Amino acid sequence: MIKTVKLSKVYRTEEVETTALNEVDIDIKEGEFVSVMGPSGCGKSTLLNVLGMIDSPSGGDYFFNGEEVGRLSERKRSNVRKHNLGFVFQSFNLIDELTVYENIELPMLYTKVPSAERKKRVEELLEGMNIMHRRNHFPQQLSGGQQQRVAVARAIVNRPKLILADEPTGNLDSANGDEVMKILSQLNSEGTTILMVTHSQYCAEFGNRIIRMLDGQVVTENLVKQYL
């Protein structure tokens, strides 16, 4: 599903050049759950942004489902992104002015899903995430755990092939963090590919493989368990 060849990302200002990714080679197969670890500033989030087509690489190749996407225009990247990817962030990134229902529904408006189908999918996820009773609440009226469940529901409502999760438990206590990890594991068992950045060894071991990064490079890859 994902293959990178000597993927690089360099940020330049008038005085400083910073190499965030330095010729990174990774290969992620459909159905895998891969965790990425490493110290702050090692390039984890930059890698996620490039693979999520939010940012473009400075060099190298990025293949998604066999297509080189690193050099696509922003418009084409956006089109691939909204039909194939779901994002879960540490800071939830919910829209405060929208209700829980509306936040979950929003991605389907961009992909022009018919109204009846939107209602069906949102209500299924509200039930599945145990937040139906919060459907008309606003994000600031929810606990952190509830906000992250809404964020996960929003990420998966378009049934993406790949979920990119950046520290999804970083702002949660251990109980709510466990709940989010169980949800991600369940989605993976149903066939969704997951790439997750985390500082937590405990969370990382929910995946089948752990990639460790340092100074913009992959330094080790360890198999935790075989994936189905």
Side-chain angles (χ1 to χ4, degrees):
M1 174 175 275
I2 286 175
K3 182 178 178 62
T4 70
V5 181
K6 297 188 181 302
L7 192 72
S8 300
K9 182 64 183 179
V10 179
Y11 295 101
R12 294 182 177 89
T13 65
E14 289 183 3
E15 300 176 355
V16 181
E17 181 176 287
T18 304
T19 300
L21 297 176
N22 187 5
E23 298 192 347
V24 172
D25 295 340
I26 61 171
D27 198 339
I28 298 172
K29 295 177 175 57
E30 188 170 351
E32 279 199 278
F33 186 154
V34 177
S35 304
V36 180
M37 300 191 74
S40 296
C42 72
K44 304 185 304 295
S45 291
T46 300
L47 177 65
L48 214 63
N49 286 340
V50 172
L51 297 183
M53 298 173 230
I54 295 170
D55 207 349
S56 55
S58 303
D61 297 303
Y62 170 28
F63 298 92
F64 180 75
N65 279 342
E67 177 187 5
E68 213 295 326
V69 295
R71 297 183 185 88
L72 293 178
S73 67
E74 169 53 31
R75 182 177 179 181
K76 289 182 178 178
R77 286 206 314 268
S78 176
N79 192 53
V80 175
R81 192 167 59 231
K82 70 185 180 182
H83 286 96
N84 294 281
L85 307 182
F87 296 87
V88 181
F89 303 95
Q90 177 178 348
S91 55
F92 315 136
N93 284 12
L94 300 175
I95 298 174
D96 289 340
E97 295 76 23
L98 299 182
T99 65
V100 165
Y101 186 102
E102 291 165 340
N103 265 284
I104 298 171
E105 181 186 37
L106 188 61
M108 294 186 290
L109 298 177
Y110 295 132
T111 52
K112 297 180 171 54
V113 175
S115 175
E117 178 64 15
R118 293 201 308 269
K119 182 174 186 293
K120 177 174 176 287
R121 289 192 200 178
V122 173
E123 290 184 347
E124 284 176 354
L125 286 170
L126 288 168
E127 287 283 3
M129 298 284 180
N130 195 28
I131 47 176
M132 178 64 84
H133 61 298
R134 297 290 195 182
R135 61 180 290 160
N136 294 319
H137 287 68
F138 293 92
Q140 297 307 314
Q141 297 173 298
L142 308 179
S143 69
Q146 289 169 335
Q147 288 189 61
Q148 194 61 298
R149 273 183 273 171
V150 175
V152 172
R154 181 186 60 186
I156 65 174
V157 73
N158 265 334
R159 298 169 181 170
K161 296 173 183 173
L162 172 67
I163 289 177
L164 298 169
D166 193 356
E167 298 283 0
T169 65
N171 283 336
L172 303 177
D173 60 34
S174 57
N176 281 309
D178 265 359
E179 190 62 35
V180 168
M181 291 311 304
K182 287 174 184 174
I183 291 168
L184 292 177
S185 293
Q186 179 64 32
L187 292 169
N188 178 242
S189 71
E190 293 167 359
T192 304
T193 306
I194 296 175
L195 179 63
M196 176 182 70
V197 163
T198 181
H199 277 104
S200 165
Q201 181 70 32
Y202 171 76
C203 291
E205 289 178 0
F206 277 82
N208 61 277
R209 185 155 52 104
I210 299 175
I211 294 173
R212 295 184 188 274
M213 295 185 67
L214 184 66
D215 297 334
Q217 295 179 304
V218 172
V219 289
T220 62
E221 290 192 42
N222 301 108
L223 190 69
V224 178
K225 55 181 177 285
Q226 295 290 341
Y227 77 102
L228 300 177

